[in-house]
Amino acid sequence: MANSLILAAAAANKSLLAAPSHCHSFSLHSNCPPPQHTQSFPSKAFLHLHSLSLTSLHRRLIPVPALDSDVPYPLDQGSTVKVKNSRSKEIEEWDSWTAKFSGGSNVPFLLLQMPQIILNAKNLMSGNKTALLAVPWLGMLTGLLGNLSLLSYFAKKRETEVIVVQTLGVVSIYVVIAQLAMAEAMPLPYYMVTSVVVATGLLLNFLNYFGMLSAGIWRFWEDFITVCGLSVLPQVMWSTFVPYIPNSILPGVISFVTAIAAVVMARTGKLSEKGVKFVGGISGWTATLLFMWMPVSQMWTNFLNPDNIKGLSAFSMLLAMIGNGLMIPRALFTRDFMWFTGSTWASLFYGYGNILCMYYFNSVSGKFLLAATAGLVSWIGMALWRDTVVYGYSSPLRSLKELIFGS
């Protein structure tokens, strides 16, 4: 169970694509050096282009209200953020750094997932198929759905580095699911359907990223992941507390019917503008809430069966904390409340929270806990401080206010 939770949580906070460019990054001048000029005074053409560059950057950094988290960055709107030219370089540099931090999360997430894949491969080659029964395929399938939903979410936002992370998550979890199918630990019909959904999801996301997909097909895909996500979330939350509550599929059925009704009403124009926005953001939020629920499920398991703590790897929990933590500065910088909530929650409650539980049950040393605490607090503090400085604010509370409520 611990392995499946680790894999799913790692895949959950990854993220995805950016508009095609020579720099392969959505960040302006993030990887490309600025043009060099030998003239004493810049030409009018250069001044015009530089002005457009700054304007685009300022427009992209308009704070996005929580309700609009699922809306692509507002490149085509007038700027409401007044950034002085003297700060434009600082903003561009921090834009570049936060993108690199997000891309860097691939390393801990990959290190987190590879041991399970390698172990499964060894058991398959040795003929020990029974060992793979310890990995619940339903939990892996839930994590896969979460990754696909977040892939679509970040694809619309053109977050290249996070798209790579989410794609890695989809592929790595699919590899584990394929291993489970080979060990007959997952029913073949479910595996075949999963394969079709994964292949379709990856294809549609990348076609949409490169502008090769019609709006109608993309809307259908978004409706599909909205219905799936909203159906799965309440069922997973309910199942966590079985057998203390009756085992029932009723939460999933009710939420499925509700999701279908919401999507139909949104597409037939029977909802207000706010209602349509809300439905549009469900897929991203349900995926985030699924991964936010995983630490709750893990801690509940720890509470009921303290001996299971010995089955958790402190190093894996540390990697989960680091991988999610690396995304916090980018989420804050882009004022993406959903992304910030998911990354912060996973870093604090999944990674650090389980380390704290392990310390409480004497599974890790005090020095390990102290190092993890100091590192996490310092990193979050640095992200808040740097964001405040870059935007020229006097307090990090201003950044947090914009993150939650918008400008």
Side-chain angles (χ1 to χ4, degrees), residues 9-81:
N13 282 337
K14 308 172 181 171
S15 311
L16 330 164
L17 306 121
S21 70
H22 298 297
C23 297
H24 303 289
S25 174
F26 184 65
S27 309
L28 293 178
H29 312 308
S30 59
N31 296 320
C32 297
Q36 302 296 320
H37 298 273
T38 57
Q39 296 172 272
S40 299
F41 298 97
S43 66
K44 290 183 178 179
F46 171 72
L47 286 173
H48 177 66
L49 288 173
H50 186 62
S51 174
L52 288 177
S53 173
L54 292 178
T55 301
S56 298
L57 180 63
H58 298 170
R59 286 175 179 171
R60 188 167 64 84
L61 299 181
I62 296 173
V64 180
L67 184 62
D68 297 338
S69 286
D70 197 48
V71 178
Y73 296 133
L75 289 170
D76 57 343
Q77 300 176 13
S79 175
T80 60
V81 178

Side-chain angles (χ1 to χ4, degrees), residues 103-136:
S105 64
N106 275 300
V107 177
F109 283 142
L110 192 59
L111 291 173
L112 189 66
Q113 298 168 56
M114 285 307 296
Q116 183 68 59
I117 295 174
I118 294 172
L119 179 61
N120 289 346
K122 287 181 179 178
N123 286 324
L124 282 173
M125 288 188 290
S126 64
N128 185 18
K129 294 183 178 181
T130 307
L132 275 75
L133 293 174
V135 182

Side-chain angles (χ1 to χ4, degrees), residues 5 9 12 15 18 66 72 119 132 136 158 168 175 203 281 293 300 326 334 340 373 375 394 399:
L5 286 172
S15 311
L119 179 61
L132 275 75
R158 299 297 190 263
L168 257 179
V175 169
L203 179 63
W293 186 255
W300 176 251
L326 284 171
T334 57
F340 182 85
T373 303
S394 58
S399 295

Side-chain angles (χ1 to χ4, degrees), residues 351-365:
Y352 182 76
N354 277 304
I355 291 174
L356 197 60
C357 286
M358 295 174 77
Y359 171 75
Y360 180 79
F361 289 104
N362 300 314
S363 293
V364 297
S365 66

Side-chain angles (χ1 to χ4, degrees), residues 309-387:
I309 289 288
K310 298 176 182 178
L312 291 179
S313 165
F315 182 64
S316 295
M317 294 299 104
L318 183 64
L319 287 174
M321 186 185 80
I322 293 172
N324 287 292
L326 284 171
M327 295 188 177
I328 293 175
R330 184 67 179 174
L332 177 62
F333 176 72
T334 57
R335 300 298 190 259
D336 190 319
F337 182 59
M338 192 200 78
W339 186 7
F340 182 85
T341 302
S343 297
T344 305
W345 181 277
S347 188
L348 286 174
F349 292 97
Y350 186 78
Y352 182 76
N354 277 304
I355 291 174
L356 197 60
C357 286
M358 295 174 77
Y359 171 75
Y360 180 79
F361 289 104
N362 300 314
S363 293
V364 297
S365 66
K367 291 182 179 178
F368 186 91
L369 175 65
L370 182 62
T373 303
L376 182 60
V377 171
S378 300
W379 180 254
I380 294 177
M382 182 279 299
L384 289 170
W385 166 77
R386 188 58 189 160
D387 190 86

Side-chain angles (χ1 to χ4, degrees), residues 6 10 59 106 128 163 183 214 261 293 397 404:
I6 290 168
R59 286 175 179 171
N106 275 300
N128 185 18
I163 291 170
S214 70
W293 186 255
L397 295 177
I404 300 171

Side-chain angles (χ1 to χ4, degrees), residues 186-204:
M186 178 182 185
L188 185 59
Y190 287 100
Y191 171 69
M192 297 301 294
V193 172
T194 300
S195 299
V196 172
V197 171
V198 169
T200 303
L202 289 175
L203 179 63
L204 292 180

